[in-house]
Amino acid sequence: MLPATLQQAVVLMTVALGTTSLGQAGFVANMSDIAPRQAGKMFGLCNTFGSLSGIVGVTAVGFIVEATNSFSPVFQLTAGLYVLGTLVWWLLATGERNIELDKGGACV
């Protein structure tokens, strides 16, 4: 289904981006559950890698569009990465602590 008007396209993009933002609540809460004392450091590390992927992604999109003269491969790659990320999250992410820490925050 392709949007017939610009307004429909804007609504669909807004819904898509808003839906992806719903995952942030679980993302942040999981880090706080796993490592309460180091949650800030973990969140900073995740944001760093997220920023780096945003920088690399813009360059990659430029190369893909230049090579294919289309945005379709970019959207297909994005959809595939979302599916892969969801599968990895379902299979590997838990709220259980895997490392025991002493009162100072060091690994035991």
Side-chain angles (χ1 to χ4, degrees), residues 6-70:
L6 178 61
Q7 289 80 12
Q8 288 176 337
V10 170
V11 168
L12 289 174
M13 286 297 290
T14 302
V15 169
L17 291 173
T19 303
T20 61
S21 298
L22 294 175
Q24 292 299 317
F27 172 70
V28 174
N30 198 9
M31 284 188 282
S32 297
D33 286 343
I34 292 171
R37 293 186 183 145
Q38 278 77 28
K41 293 176 186 175
M42 287 179 62
F43 193 67
L45 187 63
C46 289
N47 279 340
T48 298
F49 283 109
S51 296
L52 291 175
S53 65
I55 294 167
V56 172
V58 170
T59 305
V61 167
F63 285 124
I64 293 169
V65 170
E66 188 174 314
T68 64
N69 293 321
S70 173

Side-chain angles (χ1 to χ4, degrees), residues 77-107:
L77 177 63
T78 301
L81 289 173
Y82 269 111
V83 170
L84 178 65
T86 300
L87 291 174
V88 168
W89 182 265
W90 280 343
L91 295 173
L92 301 178
T94 69
E96 298 174 18
R97 292 184 189 168
N98 295 321
I99 300 171
E100 292 297 323
L101 304 174
D102 66 9
K103 290 184 181 181
C107 292

